[in-house]
Amino acid sequence: LPWTIDINIDRSGHTSGYAFQNLNREVFLRSYVQIVTESYMEGLPGDLFLTEKICKALANLQPFICFGMARTNSRLVELGFEPVNIVDGAYDDELDVGRRLTRLYHALDQLAGMSIEAVHEAYHAALPRTAHNQQRLFDRPEVLGEEVASRLRAMLPG
């Protein structure tokens, strides 16, 4: 897509508009699931490096499949988010990055093998959890940053 996500950071290092300035909600309204590739795939067990990539999915009621640090999904649950698994999320528990990637490919094969009707049903069944996660994200300014949370809230309808 010709979609600009990031903006240049000024000389002071200020990033107030980073990644959210040009967010087009239509991308989320025309899709059921996001495949998120996080910035870091390796770290100590229990580490969580949460970026705008996951936050955009959470803010837009979007289930996601994340390739990031091991146990990202478990850490999100520890932070009060509810799991939303359209496919088997066991790949995320693998500590070895190579094996985790292989298991992720299997999860993506599972998604590719689902009918559009099954994905549609899974998406709608997950709405109570994705709504909870959206609210949890906005209630946790230490996770997201209040300025970014305000911008995301302003973009949502109603």
Side-chain angles (χ1 to χ4, degrees):
L1 295 171
W3 184 28
T4 303
I5 297 175
D6 296 334
I7 63 169
N8 291 330
I9 299 172
D10 67 24
R11 290 184 184 162
S12 71
H14 192 259
T15 60
S16 65
Y18 178 72
F20 294 99
Q21 183 168 321
N22 299 313
L23 189 62
N24 180 350
R25 185 142 168 77
E26 278 301 309
V27 172
F28 299 98
L29 295 175
R30 294 184 315 191
S31 62
Y32 288 114
V33 178
Q34 275 191 58
I35 311 302
V36 175
T37 305
E38 262 303 354
S39 298
Y40 297 101
M41 283 69 177
E42 294 184 285
L44 297 173
D47 281 354
L48 176 65
F49 188 78
L50 185 66
T51 70
E52 83 286 350
K53 298 168 191 81
I54 290 175
C55 291
K56 285 186 294 189
L58 293 168
N60 285 282
L61 305 173
Q62 190 96 83
F64 60 91
I65 299 169
C66 179
F67 184 62
M69 291 182 166
R71 299 183 177 145
T72 293
N73 293 329
S74 298
R75 289 289 292 127
L76 287 169
V77 169
E78 289 172 15
L79 291 171
F81 296 94
E82 293 185 7
V84 179
N85 294 321
I86 300 292
V87 297
D88 181 8
Y91 71 89
D92 191 52
D93 293 329
E94 176 60 56
L95 297 179
D96 179 81
V97 70
R99 288 193 296 267
R100 191 164 64 254
L101 181 58
T102 299
R103 291 177 76 178
L104 172 67
Y105 287 147
H106 292 297
L108 295 175
D109 279 343
Q110 180 186 1
L111 179 63
M114 294 173 69
S115 70
I116 193 67
E117 292 82 12
V119 175
H120 178 84
E121 288 177 21
Y123 173 85
H124 285 282
L127 281 174
R129 291 187 305 282
T130 57
H132 165 85
N133 290 344
Q134 179 191 58
Q135 189 59 52
R136 183 72 176 151
L137 179 71
F138 293 151
D139 288 345
R140 301 232 11 168
E142 73 276 13
V143 172
L144 182 60
E146 188 54 44
E147 184 176 343
V148 173
S150 295
R151 287 180 186 203
L152 284 169
R153 279 189 211 104
M155 292 172 49
L156 298 175

